[in-house]
Amino acid sequence: MNIQEEAHRSLARLRPWLLRLFKDDAAAWPIFEARLDAGFPRLFELLISLYGTHYDFFYHLEALLKTAAHAHLERTPTLRALDVEREGSGARWYQSEKQVAGVCYVDLYATDLAGIRARIPYLKELGLTYLHLMPLFKAPAGNSDGGYAVSSFREVNPALGTMDQLAALAAELRAEGISLALDLVFNHTSDEHEWALRAKAGDKDYQAFYRMFPDRTLPDQYERTLREVFPEQAPGNFTFVPEVGQWVWTTFNTFQWDLNYANPAVFDAMLGEMLFLANRGVQILRLDAVAFVWKEIGTTSENLPQAHWIIEALNILVKLAAPATIFKSEAIVHPDDVAKYIGRECEISYHPTLMVLLWEALATHEVRLLRHTLAKRFVIPENAAWVNYIRLHDDIGWSFANEDAAELGIDGEAHRNFLNAFYTGQFPGSYARGLPFNYNPRTGDMRISGMAASLNGLETALENHDDAQIELSIARYLLIQGLTLAAGGIPLLYLNDELGALNDYSYRNDPAHAGDSRWVHRPRFNAARWAARTDPASIAGRHYLPLLNMIHVRKAHAAFAANGYANWLESGNPYVLAVERSNIGENVLILANFSEHKQVVNGRFSAGEKPLTDLISGAEYPVEQALTLPPYGMLWLLHH
Ligand code: GLC
Ligand code: GLC
């Protein structure tokens, strides 16, 4: 019997049993059943591949379907209506040019959930349609890796509010046209999560939720092929747990215990946590650290096929119960691997390759690696969208592909060393004020922390009272943030960047944060800076007002939608990036000058007779004329 027949037979057997679960809500069954019929064959195949060798496979399969069915039954009428909309006319809503995303920490940005609620008018002013709140769950006191050590996915950190408040906030945001995104930190829990506490107390079932080892034999074998994510603050990938005398797998910090997805009970438990959040109104689940969820001896234990199967299976199950929910992939890895999580697994994905190459182009002034890479790699499955950003809460790690660089005669490793020197201000002439993050003397690897404005030279320029440099630093910001708006995909703003916020060095005085330079770019909301945003003469206003203009332009033009078409052109000028976007009969040519001098490109791009209009400034350019871009200038030229 082949797998499809087997799937068919299993479903036929399960159907009457599932139907009984719907006895109190018979109207919900046909909808659930239709989704089940569509998703089950592939789900079955994935689960067989993952867990088919378990003697109790069918028991686990039933458990998963029950988790999904119960979650669907628990879902409110409003969310079910949203499901129906997103399965119909609202499908692929995340590809729209109207989408603009923002991300912030609840505590740093607005003290608590009530504070976030009070900021909704500003989020709307900025045009946001999607808000990612950084991990806000119950977490250990002191260092919790910025909340990425979760002690309960069902409890909000009491300092920030309650789960009921979160659900109410999600509803209020939704009414304002803003989708709520939360992290589903599904590779690990904190060592204070109930599952970890039970494991420490000796409960074998919960020890099996993690990857625990009685001695160093296996850990030492694994270590031979693993890398270290945090070599400075958490060297190695295993931590001794004195309570039980065992070693537990900890890819990140010692207090972040990796979950054991080889155990189907873990898969089921995490499905339950996902659906719990989906039913609180969370529409985007950001799957944290996707690359690491499956481990095999003798491998890097990153991006293994099983990691992909797990995510795809979870997506199908989430779609059964709460199809308005989409997944966002956080894979900060080689571009080949980034791409593999997109489409069937996650509808949207961070675009770390674009992010690092925007900074790379600013440092070199040349656009060739950026253009070459994007021409090769920008296209993703048609149901998907990139999330384009310049800065976030994490470091910048130069994850472009060495092969892409080599094709242009660039030595990837040497280039990374240059970029690290440049962004830490050690390269002659550098304006940047980044800090090193996790220098690994063994591999020479290093990443960069820093706020966008500080990396762009604003901090240096302000100290030197150098108006010309201030101007250039702002132009750099508008150039690369503008490209995230125009490139195609969802632009994601790291809130505070839009006001030109600088590095915040106060983390050095906080023992819980001093060892992690990423805190330099996690500043508090600054009311004075925010109030100045509408003053065109202020530093904040000089960032904010032109950005806001570009946001409005983006939203008005379908050419910027993620499902449009991008053509990465040769501009004929090494400093000028040229990309043509088209969609629904609209063509926009984007020209971006990465040099601090003005640059000229010839007008051969314009095919028609009529003048071109720059959507950013409203200026018209006659056809056939050479186009001049100011230092770091950008044009979004609409073909009539
Ligand atoms: C993700 C987060 C990062 C965190 C890590 C471990 O990569 O973005 O901040 O340190 O996961 O959870
Ligand atoms: C590594 C991980 C990524 C994480 C980052 C945190 O790059 O791959 O998931 O965000 O470390 O620094």
Side-chain angles (χ1 to χ4, degrees):
M1 189 164 50
N2 71 29
I3 189 109
Q4 292 310 325
E5 285 164 9
E6 210 181 317
H8 192 77
R9 292 214 346 209
S10 306
L11 184 55
R13 207 158 32 76
L14 291 164
R15 199 182 300 264
W17 163 77
L18 272 167
L19 173 61
R20 279 201 296 282
L21 299 178
F22 284 76
K23 65 180 185 319
D24 295 330
D25 188 354
W29 169 251
I31 299 171
F32 189 86
E33 187 184 32
R35 293 175 189 151
L36 189 65
D37 284 329
F40 191 82
R42 178 69 182 154
L43 175 67
F44 186 81
E45 190 181 347
L46 292 163
L47 292 174
I48 283 278
S49 309
L50 285 164
Y51 304 120
T53 57
H54 287 248
Y55 75 93
D56 53 356
F57 172 77
F58 283 95
Y59 162 81
H60 288 293
L61 178 63
E62 282 181 21
L64 291 171
L65 292 174
K66 203 179 193 171
T67 302
H70 281 159
H72 183 63
L73 289 166
E74 192 217 35
R75 203 155 165 80
T76 63
T78 331
L79 290 172
R80 287 192 200 179
L82 186 66
D83 290 338
V84 172
E85 183 196 319
R86 296 238 163 122
E87 286 184 309
S89 60
R92 303 196 183 175
W93 57 276
Y94 46 85
Q95 295 185 327
S96 165
E97 69 278 8
K98 305 272 190 294
Q99 292 294 322
V100 177
V103 52
C104 65
Y105 289 87
V106 175
D107 56 342
L108 298 173
Y109 195 69
T111 311
D112 55 18
L113 289 176
I116 295 286
R117 196 169 160 231
R119 295 258 152 82
I120 291 178
Y122 174 62
L123 304 180
K124 289 189 68 183
E125 174 188 309
L126 195 50
L128 298 194
T129 57
Y130 152 161
L131 178 67
H132 173 200
L133 296 178
M134 294 294 291
L136 43 66
F137 303 103
K138 190 174 154 197
N143 187 0
S144 64
D145 190 20
Y148 282 97
V150 175
S151 300
S152 166
F153 296 101
R154 298 188 183 222
E155 285 166 81
V156 170
N157 176 343
L160 306 178
T162 65
M163 199 37 93
D164 285 344
Q165 269 183 315
L166 181 72
L169 177 66
E172 200 169 332
L173 288 168
R174 199 163 58 243
E176 299 288 356
I178 302 174
S179 309
L180 178 63
L182 284 191
D183 282 87
L184 205 287
V185 187
F186 80 133
N187 176 68
H188 45 265
T189 72
S190 90
D191 60 353
E192 294 180 10
H193 192 285
E194 192 196 329
W195 303 337
L197 295 179
R198 290 187 186 211
K200 282 189 214 172
D203 185 325
K204 294 271 182 285
D205 286 345
Y206 284 95
Q207 289 181 357
F209 265 49
Y210 301 94
R211 289 184 175 263
M212 302 191 94
F213 305 90
D215 55 44
R216 286 289 313 185
T217 316
L218 282 170
D220 286 342
Q221 285 182 37
Y222 277 112
E223 281 288 14
R224 276 181 217 140
T225 49
L226 299 178
R227 73 174 165 122
E228 293 172 296
V229 178
F230 294 149
E232 278 181 2
Q233 72 231 52
N237 287 282
F238 300 86
T239 300
F240 188 67
V241 185
E243 288 88 337
V244 286
Q246 299 206 54
W247 293 84
V248 67
W249 195 305
T250 52
T251 299
F252 294 91
N253 289 294
T254 55
F255 51 85
Q256 290 166 299
W257 290 15
D258 287 45
L259 286 162
N260 174 20
Y261 281 89
N263 176 357
V266 169
F267 182 99
D268 185 27
M270 287 309 286
L271 173 67
E273 305 310 282
M274 286 184 165
L275 288 174
F276 175 86
L277 291 170
N279 279 351
R280 304 283 133 352
V282 178
Q283 297 180 35
I284 301 156
L285 291 172
R286 173 196 181 275
L287 301 192
D288 181 64
V290 290
F292 299 92
V293 299
W294 195 272
K295 285 76 161 145
E296 293 282 352
I297 210 134
T299 73
T300 60
S301 295
E302 286 185 50
N303 306 303
L304 295 178
Q306 291 86 343
H308 293 279
W309 302 339
I310 286 169
I311 298 162
E312 191 185 345
L314 284 169
N315 196 327
I316 295 172
L317 284 156
V318 167
K319 290 294 186 292
L320 293 182
T325 319
I326 61 168
F327 284 2
K328 169 176 176 187
S329 158
E330 192 249 351
I332 313 301
V333 288
H334 187 285
D336 287 344
D337 293 313
V338 174
K340 289 183 194 143
Y341 294 96
I342 308 172
R344 288 195 301 198
E345 294 158 36
C346 298
E347 287 84 355
I348 61 177
S349 165
Y350 283 115
H351 199 343
T353 322
L354 173 68
M355 185 272 285
V356 302
L357 290 174
L358 290 171
W359 293 105
E360 186 270 346
L362 279 179
T364 61
H365 301 298
E366 293 191 358
V367 301
R368 59 189 185 133
L369 186 55
L370 176 62
R371 194 206 78 84
H372 179 69
T373 303
L374 295 181
K376 265 172 84 169
R377 300 181 181 277
F378 198 75
V379 176
I380 47 176
E382 58 160 11
N383 70 326
W386 286 117
V387 175
N388 297 323
Y389 64 107
I390 59 166
R391 285 302 295 119
L392 287 178
H393 68 288
D394 277 331
D395 47 287
I396 301 177
W398 305 105
S399 60
F400 58 81
N402 282 350
E403 313 84 91
D404 298 351
E407 281 157 15
L408 300 175
I410 299 169
D411 173 343
E413 283 316 310
H415 203 49
R416 283 187 188 90
N417 291 338
F418 156 71
L419 292 166
N420 281 329
F422 186 88
Y423 280 107
T424 50
Q426 284 163 39
F427 192 80
S430 167
Y431 46 73
R433 289 286 178 91
L435 298 181
F437 179 69
N438 272 285
Y439 173 62
N440 186 336
R442 195 168 52 81
T443 59
D445 180 44
M446 180 178 122
R447 286 112 79 187
I448 299 291
S449 296
M451 288 297 283
S454 292
L455 297 176
N456 275 328
L458 182 62
E459 199 174 319
T460 309
L462 286 170
E463 267 175 33
N464 298 338
H465 305 286
D466 185 334
D467 288 337
Q469 286 298 325
I470 292 173
E471 186 68 31
L472 289 176
S473 77
I474 297 172
R476 288 182 195 110
Y477 169 71
L478 294 171
L479 178 72
I480 60 174
Q481 190 79 80
L483 281 169
T484 67
L485 293 164
I490 306 172
L492 171 60
L493 308 174
Y494 186 50
L495 294 179
N496 289 317
D497 271 353
E498 82 282 14
L499 307 174
L502 299 173
N503 283 351
D504 176 356
Y505 298 97
S506 65
Y507 78 98
R508 289 174 172 158
N509 309 322
D510 178 346
H513 295 160
D516 187 334
S517 70
R518 289 176 298 173
W519 287 96
V520 84
H521 56 243
R522 298 171 179 178
R524 278 182 186 283
F525 179 83
N526 177 311
R529 194 188 295 119
W530 179 76
R533 76 193 181 286
T534 50
D535 172 1
S538 71
I539 295 287
R542 288 160 73 188
H543 286 80
Y544 182 72
L545 295 170
L547 176 73
L548 195 58
N549 173 47
M550 288 192 284
I551 291 174
H552 290 154
V553 171
R554 167 190 159 84
K555 286 177 174 247
H557 291 276
F560 300 118
N563 52 328
Y565 174 77
N567 193 6
W568 301 90
L569 304 164
E570 288 283 2
S571 71
N573 180 321
Y575 309 113
V576 178
L577 183 73
V579 51
E580 187 159 44
R581 288 208 58 88
S582 43
N583 189 23
I584 335 185
E586 190 181 66
N587 287 303
V588 175
L589 171 66
I590 298 149
L591 295 174
N593 174 12
F594 278 82
S595 139
E596 50 192 34
H597 304 287
K598 68 172 194 248
Q599 296 295 329
V600 178
V601 293
N602 75 37
R604 73 193 159 82
F605 294 108
S606 46
E609 299 284 298
K610 301 218 185 90
L612 303 167
T613 306
D614 173 28
L615 295 172
I616 300 177
S617 64
E620 297 225 323
Y621 291 83
V623 280
E624 299 294 316
Q625 180 191 299
L627 298 164
T628 304
L629 293 129
Y632 300 117
M634 183 158 59
L635 298 171
W636 294 354
L637 295 168
L638 180 71
H639 293 246
H640 290 278

